[in-house]
Every structure is written in structure tokens, then in C-alpha cells.
Amino acid sequence: MPRPPKDAFQHAVALLSRRERTAAALKTALLSKGHSPEDVDAALLRAQQLGYLDDARVAAARARKELPQGRSRADVARRLAAQGVSEDVAETAAEEAAQELAHDDEAAARALIAKRRLTGVKAARLLAARGFEEDLIRRVTGLDEASGDG
């Protein structure tokens, strides 16, 4: 006998039981499974009220994971915002994770380029891709705009 189709809330809980998601990611998944926007919104609200869905919790966990991977605080916050987390929640999560992990952008940048054994322009490109600020990049790579290296 076939199973009855899941309602949007049941489907949301099933998806959340596999891994934490942002509200935006869960909404996208539920809509792609054919649930109506009204049912999805109701399911998200109920999941939030029950504590099953919490963007701040997801953002904090992701920030704690990404900072040690050689990313800047600003880059982590931007990546979280791109995943549908509000900018305020993303910035708070990145800042709190940085404090918790004693993360320093300059030390992280230096460690990353040392680990990859990069110098000069290649190091600068990697650091720029990881969201580090230009003045920090020039400082840790030794590139100076006046010398023509930057």
C-alpha cells in the first residue's frame, strides 16, 4: 500500500532530521517538492516555534566551521548571508565565532599562505578570494602598490 504524501511540516521535519538548514534553504526545498507557498510558510513558522528551525544556530555552527578553514570574518558573514541568513544574524555569528575561536584575520591569513606555501601575487589572490581586506593582504604578502607588484 502506498504511503500517504507528507504534508509540508512533516516534510520539513524529515529534512531537518538529516541536517540543519536555514529557513531559506528549507523553504526552497519544500517548494521544489511541490508544497504550496502557504503550506510552506505555515510549516516554517511551526518549525521555528518548536525550535526545530533556527537560522542563528545554523549560522553559528557554520561560522565555527568556516573560520578555521582560512576565511576572514567578513567572508564568513557574506557566505552566510548568501545562504539566506539575515545580514545581522550572519555578522553576529561570524563575530561570536571569531571571539570563541580566538580568530584573528591577520594570523589566519599568514597561516593560510604559509600552509599553501604561496607568496606574492598568488598569495594575494588566494587571500582576496577568502575575503581578506586589501590592506591586510598587502601587509602579509609584502606587496606594495608603489613598487608595482600590486
Side-chain angles (χ1 to χ4, degrees):
M1 185 160 84
R3 286 191 220 173
K6 292 181 181 176
D7 71 14
F9 178 73
Q10 290 173 326
H11 202 164
V13 171
L15 291 170
L16 291 169
S17 71
R18 292 184 201 124
R19 71 176 167 87
E20 289 243 57
R21 299 168 189 260
T22 63
L26 185 58
K27 183 174 188 167
T28 299
L30 293 172
L31 289 171
S32 74
K33 295 295 184 181
H35 297 289
S36 73
E38 298 79 19
D39 289 345
V40 169
D41 289 342
L44 294 177
L45 179 60
R46 185 169 176 207
Q48 287 169 333
Q49 290 170 338
L50 292 171
Y52 301 163
L53 180 63
D54 184 346
D55 278 1
R57 184 175 61 227
V58 174
R62 289 185 184 168
R64 284 191 300 271
K65 179 181 175 187
E66 290 186 8
L67 280 172
Q69 295 176 347
R71 296 202 175 278
S72 69
R73 282 190 306 259
D75 188 46
V76 169
R78 276 193 297 274
R79 290 167 62 89
L80 291 169
Q83 294 169 6
V85 175
S86 76
E87 286 186 27
D88 289 344
V89 170
E91 289 173 12
T92 299
E95 187 59 40
E96 288 177 358
Q99 289 175 3
E100 180 182 319
L101 300 169
H103 173 88
D104 174 67
D105 274 356
E106 185 167 336
R110 289 183 186 281
L112 179 63
I113 61 174
K115 178 181 177 182
R116 300 276 182 99
R117 296 180 182 172
L118 296 175
T119 59
V121 174
K122 287 185 178 182
R125 287 182 187 144
L126 174 64
L127 296 176
R130 295 290 179 104
F132 291 96
E133 295 179 5
E134 287 181 38
D135 63 332
L136 185 146
I137 293 170
R138 281 194 295 274
R139 192 167 56 247
V140 302
T141 60
L143 294 178
D144 184 333
E145 289 181 83
S147 72
D149 290 337

